Amino acid sequence: MFASGQAMGCILLINADPTLKRLVKLSLPGLAHVIHDSATLEEAHTEHACPALDLVIVRVVARDDQGPERLEETRNAFPNVRLLVAASLYQPELEADKFRWLARSLSVDYCLIEPISPGHMVRTVQSALATPKRTDRRSGPGPATPYGTSPRFSL
């Protein structure tokens, strides 16, 4: 956790809508943090090169034809950073389980399906920031910690 006098957290938002931005800001009361906002993954690489990212939050919109390739590109661009995906699906009640499976297979650390409640976002962002960083995600598949009771993959 980031307490007074400790290092700041650095969060990168990619393709975030105003609602997601507000939810992330609500999740960080009292925590020292820097939030960078990028419309695209390409923009994130060129404009917001933060040397010590703690968390990348990317919004995937199914209607915009952002499929597994975009998730894979994001994971490959930030292999050692915790990755939270906020998914806006066309029919969440039918597609959520399939999307969660896909996210796990691509080593996404946290996946939330819109609409996201403020409580879920708060718990997820705070859990992600409290999780120790990984040294090298490329050394093996899957997350470093098991999918336990945390809100990693929830509606």
Side-chain angles (χ1 to χ4, degrees):
M1 279 294 195
F2 301 102
S4 178
Q6 292 185 355
M8 295 179 74
C10 188
I11 299 170
L12 174 62
L13 296 175
I14 301 173
N15 193 35
D17 66 346
T19 302
L20 182 59
K21 291 176 188 178
R22 184 178 52 78
L23 285 172
V24 170
K25 288 179 183 176
L26 287 172
S27 302
L28 300 167
L31 297 178
H33 60 279
V34 174
I35 298 176
H36 296 285
D37 187 17
S38 295
T40 65
L41 178 60
E42 293 77 19
E43 181 183 304
H45 273 302
T46 58
E47 293 183 13
H48 302 295
C50 185
L53 277 175
D54 294 297
L55 178 62
V56 173
I57 300 173
V58 61
R59 183 170 184 257
V60 175
V61 181
R63 292 177 284 280
D64 291 346
D65 197 29
Q66 296 176 342
E69 298 82 16
R70 182 52 95 191
L71 285 179
E72 191 170 23
E73 290 171 6
T74 304
R75 173 40 74 208
N76 289 337
F78 303 101
N80 300 323
V81 180
R82 290 175 299 275
L83 178 61
L84 186 157
V85 171
S88 174
L89 303 176
Y90 184 67
Q91 293 180 312
E93 61 280 355
L94 300 176
E95 301 170 320
D97 288 338
K98 180 179 175 183
F99 190 84
R100 283 190 203 100
W101 176 86
L102 174 66
R104 282 188 190 111
S105 70
L106 295 174
S107 299
V108 170
D109 299 295
Y110 301 88
C111 180
L112 298 175
I113 306 296
E114 293 182 0
I116 302 169
S117 73
H120 266 115
M121 182 58 80
V122 167
R123 288 189 301 276
T124 303
V125 168
Q126 290 181 355
S127 173
L129 291 175
T131 303
K133 289 187 180 184
R134 297 162 194 191
T135 54
D136 188 1
R137 296 198 98 215
R138 294 175 216 184
S139 63
T145 56
Y147 295 99
T149 58
S150 73
R152 289 179 178 229
F153 290 85
S154 62
L155 269 174

